[in-house]
Amino acid sequence: ETGVTQSPTHLIKTRGQQVTLRCSSQSGHNTVSWYQQALGQGPQFIFQYYREEENGRGNFPPRFSGLQFPNYSSELNVNALELDDSALYLCASSLEREQFFGPGTRLTVL
Amino acid sequence: SQQGEEDPQALSIQEGENATMNCSYKTSINNLQWYRQNSGRGLVHLILIRSNEREKHSGRLRVTLDTSKKSSSLLITASRAADTASYFCATDTNDYKLSFGAGTTVTVRA
């Protein structure tokens, strides 16, 4: 167990809807990163937050947005859901270079 | 595009045998990390090897890194059924994000 938790575990949405995914980081970790993992592929970096500021972003459109709170927990928001957004969403917390992942949220867009 | 690429894509071995998988990457790295993923759930951090290290051990795992060839290998010795999983290498460049390959799926037969 890494101490990183994510909610919900599973989620089903329809195209065009909005979704919020949540992540609680491991105690003491001030950095949270979000990844999208499509079926059969490796995780793709979405963005990273360090001390409540976005610290880097991957090749994802602006409808993917995030927040980090003072307790270092984080949210990933996706607007105007598309079918291709169906994936496992992983968050990872870190203090230095090692990233520790949560169990993920499985999002299905119908 | 993905920075790390694992080889082979899939591996089937008998319990007790060794499993070796390789990772190649394209650009200079700060470190390289190996992760395990069971059944599409969260990633478990296995080992981190820094760019100035050549070999690292953790239990039954042995990781090598050759920065001149931009490649790494993960060896699992005396495999067990519980080692059945997907294994990913992830490269950490200086921008803190991890870039993953598509993974190697390992099946350990009883």
Side-chain angles (χ1 to χ4, degrees):
Chain A
E1 293 293 325
T2 62
V4 180
T5 61
Q6 291 186 244
S7 62
T9 305
H10 295 90
L11 202 51
I12 298 174
K13 292 283 188 179
T14 55
R15 205 168 49 178
Q17 285 189 312
Q18 178 265 342
V19 69
T20 298
L21 310 182
R22 294 180 175 82
C23 172
S24 291
S25 58
Q26 189 167 322
S27 177
H29 286 187
N30 55 19
T31 303
V32 173
S33 303
W34 286 91
Y35 294 82
Q36 180 196 66
Q37 186 179 20
L39 203 60
Q41 297 184 22
Q44 296 289 313
F45 175 74
I46 302 175
F47 43 57
Q48 182 182 88
Y49 280 83
Y50 170 69
R51 295 189 174 183
E52 303 178 61
E53 297 286 332
E54 189 178 287
N55 190 42
R57 188 178 183 91
N59 191 25
F60 281 80
R63 59 190 185 83
F64 285 77
S65 62
L67 279 175
Q68 187 180 30
F69 300 100
N71 66 355
Y72 301 137
S73 66
S74 178
E75 285 182 356
L76 164 65
N77 299 289
V78 187
N79 294 321
L81 283 167
E82 300 177 359
L83 297 179
D84 284 349
D85 295 334
S86 293
L88 181 69
Y89 288 85
L90 297 159
C91 80
S93 74
S94 56
L95 184 60
E96 293 184 0
R97 291 301 208 185
E98 290 186 31
Q99 294 193 15
F100 297 91
F101 284 79
T105 293
R106 173 75 61 188
L107 172 65
T108 302
V109 182
L110 303 176
Chain B
S1 63
Q2 293 183 326
Q3 159 82 311
E5 296 292 339
E6 292 90 346
D7 171 63
Q9 288 186 324
L11 190 56
S12 181
I13 56 173
Q14 202 74 29
E15 206 165 21
E17 293 181 337
N18 296 342
T20 300
M21 59 210 85
N22 304 296
C23 170
S24 59
Y25 57 92
K26 296 172 185 166
T27 63
S28 296
I29 60 171
N30 184 290
N31 64 65
L32 186 144
Q33 303 180 38
W34 284 92
Y35 288 85
R36 184 185 75 231
Q37 185 175 43
N38 293 87
S39 302
R41 297 302 292 167
L43 296 165
V44 174
H45 188 272
L46 296 177
I47 202 163
L48 179 152
I49 186 165
R50 301 184 196 286
S51 60
N52 61 353
E53 297 176 312
R54 292 297 166 257
E55 187 170 314
K56 208 161 180 181
H57 296 254
S58 176
R60 294 184 295 113
L61 305 179
R62 172 179 169 254
V63 168
T64 63
L65 180 65
D66 186 335
T67 53
S68 66
K69 294 181 179 177
K70 291 188 171 57
S71 68
S72 174
S73 68
L74 170 66
L75 167 68
I76 306 172
T77 60
S79 62
R80 306 167 181 168
D83 295 328
T84 294
S86 293
Y87 292 81
F88 295 90
C89 69
T91 52
D92 176 358
T93 55
N94 286 324
D95 58 5
Y96 284 86
K97 73 177 185 184
L98 291 179
S99 296
F100 288 83
T104 294
T105 300
V106 174
T107 302
V108 181
R109 306 186 307 273

